[in-house]
Amino acid sequence: MMMHRRVQAAVVASLTLLVGAGVWASPDEAAAVTTRKVTLGVTADSYSSSFEPSTASGTKAHLRADPARTTYLKFSVPPLAQGERITGATLQLTARTSASGTVTATRAASSNWTEATLTHDARPAASGTVLASVGQVANGAVIRFPVTPAVHPGTDVSFIVAKSAGPLAEFASRETGAGGPQLVLTIDRESDPTRTGPASGAWLGAAVQGGQPENFQAMEAMQQRPLASLRIYRTGPEPLVGGYFLEQLNAGKIIVVTWKASKKATYHWADITRGDFDGEIRGVCGELAALGTKGNRVFFGFHHEPDTKDDLFRGSFGDYARAYRHVHDVCVNQAKATNIRWIWIVTGFKGNWEKYGPADNDPSNGLYPGNDVVDWVGFDMYGFTGCKNTYLTTVKPSYDWFISNGYGAKPFAHTETGVTDDTCKPAWFRSIPAGLKVLPNVKLVMYFNLRWVTSDGTVQNYLVDSTPAAKSAWLETVADPALRPPLP
């Protein structure tokens, strides 16, 4: 949240991690993973021909590729269940001719085409570089292209199969029946709740004034129930978790620590990638790796809310994604913090969606650093419009955007939320459990339970017990089973 970073130094943060203590046999023991294969038939296929630039070929029993003809394939990738992720994707075509020369597969920039409308004059452009290529094509052989980076859950994906030189290569189309184009997915499913979240509902956590132990204790006493997670904020080389927080960690709670490198007001993303802060990163990750040896689980990320205007001076969106990946590599490869669970946190607000890019592994596409280095997707969203909103209407537009853009294979963490209007709090609080039932990917909700006065004298009061009516509504809310799943 922008405002609290300017007015309260104790809650300035940007490298985020979730640390969960529970009952695990060993922090280094691999989580149980099951793997399944899914074979998708092509949704639409056709080819274009410069010889017949306005002719559609979508009903033909063959597909063609040579310097004058190019094949187009569309697949509908289904959504995945919680904890699942696509770890492999292979495009398969069956050759109907033998031909020398290289055949390439590239992702198309758009899937907004049909077999009836695709022609040489109306065809999608290529997006990015070639994904894969094969050489000699033999009649009857199954040709395989590894295309994993282009495939995301719950979306359509189109491929362009091209041949820039040499004789015609012909492939079976879906009209052929057997041997038509296929997309074969390898899908892994994690059984570790620190990667998937609870089976139902969401863990409830909070940030409190100054991150002080006595304020966490006071909130728990007020609501007559313990918090499942605590959020604290750290900067530079200072210790992350110790004393009271280590006790809470060992007692089974989840602790969220947001950390930012020193020189937080001036550093650029490129400074991180260049290694200027590797010593600090190794120190932080070394401490967390040591927690792992005690059976603790750690979720760790870099620089939350990089989509705010305050961070524009630090570099491009891709620069941030590369910096995040650098932090990941230093933690895992140098500090040996292999027990860490990684979280990526943005504001989630509509005006920032275009900054994120698709949920893929290409850091040049936006702020998202990649499926291979992120376990949790987090967002800091507040009920700023007060009584006009419920919890569901606050979150659902952004939730839907993340799901439709391929992020749904990751559990979502609502890492900061709250309401300041005392007249709106009771209804907004009571709407949280019902909202979570419609937002099943949200597995962690953290309330921003603070009050402060801004530089212009405005009081920002998010406290859940700011009025008797608000407190009563909060007590009802935290008693709901949707916010009381077991800890991992």
Side-chain angles (χ1 to χ4, degrees), residues 269 311-322 363 366-367:
W269 306 133
D311 284 328
L312 290 176
F313 78 93
R314 299 185 191 275
S316 70
F317 305 145
D319 289 339
Y320 165 79
R322 284 182 283 273
L367 288 168

Side-chain angles (χ1 to χ4, degrees), residues 41-58:
V42 71
T43 305
D45 59 4
S46 188
Y47 68 90
S48 66
S49 172
S50 61
F51 298 136
E52 301 174 288
S54 60
T55 299
S57 301

